[in-house]
Amino acid sequence: MTTTEPTHTAASVSVAVESPRQDEVFTLLRLGTEFAESQYRPENNFLLDTDELERPGVQVYVARSEGGDAVGMAALVPWGMAVTELKRMFVHPDARGRGVAARLLERMEADARAAGLRQIVLETGTLHTAAQSLYLHCGYESIPQFGQYIGEKYSYCMAKMLSH
């Protein structure tokens, strides 16, 4: 990020599907990985790398400030017929508290609805209370652990049904 005093708000942030193979996205992925690894052991992290984010059907969303800086990211990964999984949600520390994550969710949910998907599922860590609060505020509900998260002591799973 090039500014020391961020001025971006949700209104000034644009969100688009972009390639994960670009320097600013690499930085967000690195920062997200460092944060996750500071909270949990490696075996308790379920982070996708750049190659996995480039798989067919995966959409990587990047939030950019008015100045063009990448300030947040997330990905939607196909998970079943009418379900997609939210992965790698991360907002740069300098951009937190400004609605960037909600803006990412808004765009991803709109795209998922337009694609005919019925539900978005996600896993976050039990220690990620800020993320849990955000998701609850945006209409996500706690669900039983699913897929690779079943039996994981630090996994907290959530979902949102999408209206059409």
Side-chain angles (χ1 to χ4, degrees):
M1 301 219 3
T2 58
T3 60
T4 56
E5 192 63 35
T7 57
H8 34 270
T9 63
S12 66
V13 170
S14 63
V15 177
V17 175
E18 298 186 21
S19 167
R21 212 167 278 284
Q22 49 184 313
D23 289 344
E24 286 183 298
V25 175
F26 289 149
T27 298
L28 291 171
L29 289 169
R30 179 182 52 78
L31 291 171
T33 298
E34 288 171 0
F35 177 76
E37 290 176 349
S38 76
Q39 302 292 304
Y40 309 99
R41 286 179 278 172
E43 64 269 20
N44 300 117
N45 284 308
F46 299 91
L47 305 173
L48 300 182
D49 62 24
T50 305
D51 290 338
E52 292 168 308
L53 291 171
E54 289 183 316
R55 287 185 180 160
V58 176
Q59 292 184 299
V60 175
Y61 291 80
V62 179
R64 292 190 176 275
S65 67
E66 263 183 289
D69 293 327
V71 294
M73 68 163 298
L76 289 180
V77 179
W79 203 89
M81 290 294 282
V83 179
T84 189
E85 183 179 0
L86 172 62
K87 298 287 288 179
R88 293 306 307 239
M89 171 73 91
F90 184 78
V91 174
H92 193 285
D94 293 344
R96 291 185 186 153
R98 293 175 169 77
V100 174
R103 187 69 163 223
L104 280 160
L105 286 173
E106 180 182 284
R107 170 66 193 272
M108 291 185 296
E109 290 170 9
D111 286 0
R113 260 187 222 94
L117 298 173
R118 293 179 315 159
Q119 185 180 46
I120 296 177
V121 296
L122 65 90
E123 180 270 349
T124 190
T126 55
L127 302 176
H128 289 125
T129 55
Q132 292 170 30
S133 294
L134 165 77
Y135 296 130
L136 285 169
H137 179 75
C138 291
Y140 288 75
E141 298 177 349
S142 178
I143 62 169
Q145 292 177 328
F146 63 92
Q148 66 183 335
Y149 314 114
I150 294 172
E152 289 295 327
K153 112 181 198 181
Y154 297 109
S155 289
Y156 182 74
C157 296
M158 304 180 83
K160 181 175 183 175
M161 293 301 296
L162 302 172
S163 59
H164 291 278

